[in-house]
Amino acid sequence: MIERAPNIYQLDIPLRNNPLKSLNCYLIVGVESLIIDTGFHTAEGEALIREAMAALGMEPSHTRLFLTHLHSDHTGLADRLAKTGVRVSMGPVDLALLRSSLDPSGDFWQEVLAISIEQGLSADHLALSDHPGFRYRPLALPEVAISRPGDRFLVGDYRFEVIDLPGHTPGLQALYEPKHGLLFSSDHILEQITPNITYWGERFGDSLGQYLGSLDQVLAMTVTRVFSSHRSLPTDHRARIDQIKRHHELRLQECRAILQGGPASVREVTRKLSWDIRATSWEDFPASQKWFAAGEAQAHLVHLVARGELTSEKQGEELIYRLK
Ligand SMILES: [Zn+2]
């Protein structure tokens, strides 16, 4: 555990067998304390958080857990910590998605399957059990208080404000402390990893457009330090935002170039994009990575449609994208 700022501690929670390696869990100590995100649903993670709370003198009944977004590496221990008396807060959009993901045969997973069929992934015979989100879906959720933009959590000298930064997930929320210029950015800005931007279905539309808008929103804020959720913390978040934006522009460029060869499904575009993965061909891609890759590719295609550069139309079961 490292004290990153007065009364703000960073605790590394291992994410075993996961390329992200670990989650940066933050514990902020006051009369009413705050924890930001938890790691997966594991006994190891729970023991680490409970030991840290005890060492810092944090009473569970005087502690709030703020969940930034629905991913299981952030929310996995919410239920177990709530059972010790910790109160849990989360934004309404991701909470609704998380709740609907509890039921393995419910709407949430039906929609994931429907999207994969439109992407053309039927040819890959993927099973939902290969989907990391399905494998790590929550088994139970505690009572959760809804957090909305502008809500404040007061901890000692700090006044944390809830802000919406949609993109990485439809309802991702971050905490901003304007007096000290601190931003707990969750997975919105990461230093060593490009945050995954995926397609969430028609209901949520252009997720990449929302994400790029949320990056600009942070650029317009007075921020001196960023506390992100994985690996090392950004030292110059403005430079990092520029890099991330450049990455997506290059990706959009690659998509345009592929479609110059003719109309294509998401699967066909995904196969032709370059990927930073040890697989020589699409067939070698691990099943779990095929879900991610297709989602990421489609987010870029949908953004090009929103920019007016592409059209999409249904051909049989598949969506076909073409340059205008
Ligand atoms: Zn995430």
Side-chain angles (χ1 to χ4, degrees), residues 69 71 73-74 168 187 230:
H69 66 292
H71 286 150
D73 54 326
H74 296 256
H168 174 65
D187 288 355
H230 302 287

Side-chain angles (χ1 to χ4, degrees), residues 20 68-74 168-169 172 186-187 196 230:
L20 294 170
T68 59
H69 66 292
L70 66 97
H71 286 150
S72 52
D73 54 326
H74 296 256
H168 174 65
T169 61
L172 183 140
S186 183
D187 288 355
N196 172 265
H230 302 287

Side-chain angles (χ1 to χ4, degrees), residues 284-301:
D284 285 347
F285 261 58
S288 60
Q289 296 299 321
K290 285 184 177 174
W291 292 102
F292 278 137
E296 207 175 301
Q298 193 169 9
H300 288 82
L301 295 171

Side-chain angles (χ1 to χ4, degrees), residues 159-178:
R159 292 158 69 92
F160 297 99
E161 284 180 23
V162 175
I163 57 171
D164 280 344
L165 293 174
H168 174 65
T169 61
L172 183 140
Q173 291 187 330
L175 291 180
Y176 177 50
E177 210 289 330

Side-chain angles (χ1 to χ4, degrees), residues 267-301:
R267 180 174 186 266
E268 288 163 46
V269 172
T270 310
R271 287 169 64 114
K272 289 179 183 163
L273 281 167
S274 53
W275 296 99
D276 189 11
I277 182 171
R278 268 184 241 112
T280 46
S281 70
W282 177 250
E283 282 61 37
D284 285 347
F285 261 58
S288 60
Q289 296 299 321
K290 285 184 177 174
W291 292 102
F292 278 137
E296 207 175 301
Q298 193 169 9
H300 288 82
L301 295 171

Side-chain angles (χ1 to χ4, degrees), residues 120-133:
L121 291 183
S122 304
D124 295 295
H125 308 290
L126 295 181
L128 259 187
S129 54
D130 297 323
H131 193 296

